[in-house]
């Protein structure tokens, strides 16, 4: 990820090292799944993928949400499961 603040301020183009974002907490609120985590780069996009089977290749996991990290590299995301959804596994994908 390019650090555009340095480019504007000093004329130097710098690369911001990618973090290691993780899902840090999972809870249920009003029937919704609430995920939160940290370790991302400020304002960078991320995706949440889901699968009912851990052995399915990642290319077959289904994107269920997308958002971006906040200024501190954290996120808080609410997913509304479809009625009748069974067990799901979730993965945070960070480009």
């Amino acid at each position: 990820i390019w650090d555009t603040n340095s480019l504007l301020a000093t004329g130097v183009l710098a690369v911001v090292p990618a973090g290691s974002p993780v899902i840090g907490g999972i809870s249920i609120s009003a029937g919704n799944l609430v995920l939160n985590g940290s370790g991302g780069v400020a304002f960078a996009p991320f995706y949440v993928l889901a699968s009912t089977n851990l052995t399915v290749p990642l290319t077959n996991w289904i994107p269920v949400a997308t958002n971006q990290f906040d200024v501190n590299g954290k996120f808080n995301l609410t997913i509304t499961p479809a009625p009748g959804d069974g067990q799901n596994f979730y993965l945070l994908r960070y480009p």
Side-chain angles (χ1 to χ4, degrees), residues 23-37:
I23 296 173
I26 300 173
S27 61
I28 303 291
S29 176
N32 295 315
L33 179 66
V34 180
L35 304 174
N36 61 63

Side-chain angles (χ1 to χ4, degrees), residues 48-81:
V48 176
L49 307 178
S51 177
T52 58
N53 184 341
L54 280 175
T55 64
V56 171
L58 288 178
T59 55
N60 294 341
W61 284 48
I62 299 168
V64 293
T66 185
N67 209 333
Q68 67 183 29
F69 296 101
D70 68 13
V71 68
N72 298 310
K74 297 180 180 182
F75 72 92
N76 190 354
L77 183 69
T78 300
I79 298 172
T80 303

Side-chain angles (χ1 to χ4, degrees), residues 7-31:
L7 181 62
L8 294 175
T10 65
V12 175
L13 184 61
V15 176
V16 176
S20 298
V22 295
I23 296 173
I26 300 173
S27 61
I28 303 291
S29 176

Side-chain angles (χ1 to χ4, degrees), residues 18-23 37-41 46 69 73 75 92-94:
S20 298
V22 295
I23 296 173
S38 61
V41 173
F46 67 88
F69 296 101
F75 72 92
L92 187 64
R93 187 178 87 186
Y94 177 61

